[in-house]
Amino acid sequence: MADSSFDIVSKVERQEVDNALNQAAKEISQRYDFKNVGASIAWSGEKILMEANSEDRVNAILDVFQSKLVKRGISLKALDAGEPQLSGKEYKIFASIEEGISQDNAKKVAKIIRDEGPKGVKAQVQGEELRVSSKSRDDLQTIISLLKGKDFDFALQFVNYR
């Protein structure tokens, strides 16, 4: 019998981020506290740009965007938002969506699987993802629940379970 396996990835669906951004932009354009303050949120290349005339308002825009991301099922660990910066008379926040598991993080996850997981489970790094394989599907379920219980500073998804 062949080994069962699954992949651990850190991916974000771009369309869902786009939808969350559009919902946040609509709410910002309609809310009374954002009227006439130059509040906006939009894509700026690969980054998301939030602008307003005060630091509090630009942080409020970030809160609105984060709430829309959560409602669309996107982990806030994937959002890397910078600090508000004063640019002329405007405050700006640049945020980016982090994807992929770095080599260091993949090694940390593989070490946890080796140390705390059942025997006979193999984890190998493949680019920006991690392939976990075992003869027993129950062991794979144990690994998934073990990793869900850990608090990583990056988002994890489990795909290609077979």
Side-chain angles (χ1 to χ4, degrees):
M1 185 176 123
D3 283 1
S4 299
S5 68
F6 68 89
D7 294 334
I8 301 172
V9 297
S10 182
K11 288 195 167 103
V12 176
E13 199 167 319
R14 175 78 178 212
Q15 187 60 50
E16 289 298 324
V17 175
D18 216 23
N19 291 343
L21 185 115
N22 290 336
Q23 287 176 340
K26 185 173 183 183
E27 181 174 324
I28 289 164
S29 70
Q30 293 174 346
R31 268 183 39 181
Y32 177 74
D33 56 335
F34 289 126
K35 292 281 185 222
N36 302 322
V37 296
S40 68
I41 180 170
W43 286 105
S44 174
E46 283 297 305
K47 294 190 180 283
I48 298 161
L49 172 64
M50 294 163 256
E51 294 180 297
N53 66 355
S54 76
E55 190 172 349
D56 293 338
R57 291 222 170 86
V58 80
N59 283 325
I61 293 171
L62 179 60
D63 287 343
V64 169
F65 182 53
Q66 287 175 335
S67 71
K68 299 301 180 192
L69 285 174
V70 168
K71 283 182 182 172
R72 300 207 70 80
I74 297 171
S75 172
L76 292 181
K77 292 177 182 177
L79 180 69
D80 181 23
E83 292 297 313
Q85 301 167 343
L86 184 60
S87 172
K89 293 182 179 178
E90 298 259 302
Y91 280 88
K92 296 180 179 186
I93 294 179
F94 285 99
S96 61
I97 302 296
E98 299 293 321
E99 288 192 306
I101 301 174
S102 70
Q103 291 292 325
D104 292 342
N105 289 335
K107 287 178 183 173
K108 284 181 199 170
V109 173
K111 182 170 175 19
I112 288 171
I113 291 170
R114 273 194 315 276
D115 294 348
E116 300 178 32
K119 299 292 176 225
V121 176
K122 296 186 285 294
Q124 61 203 72
V125 178
Q126 297 180 334
E128 292 188 335
E129 55 186 49
L130 195 66
R131 166 77 42 93
V132 180
S133 58
S134 171
K135 295 227 181 286
S136 165
R137 285 179 166 238
D138 292 342
D139 288 351
L140 294 180
Q141 292 289 344
T142 305
I143 294 294
I144 289 175
S145 59
L146 169 76
L147 294 177
K148 282 185 177 177
K150 299 284 182 192
D151 186 31
F152 295 106
D153 56 351
F154 53 96
L156 289 181
Q157 292 88 32
F158 307 100
V159 297
N160 297 338
Y161 186 83
R162 52 182 172 266

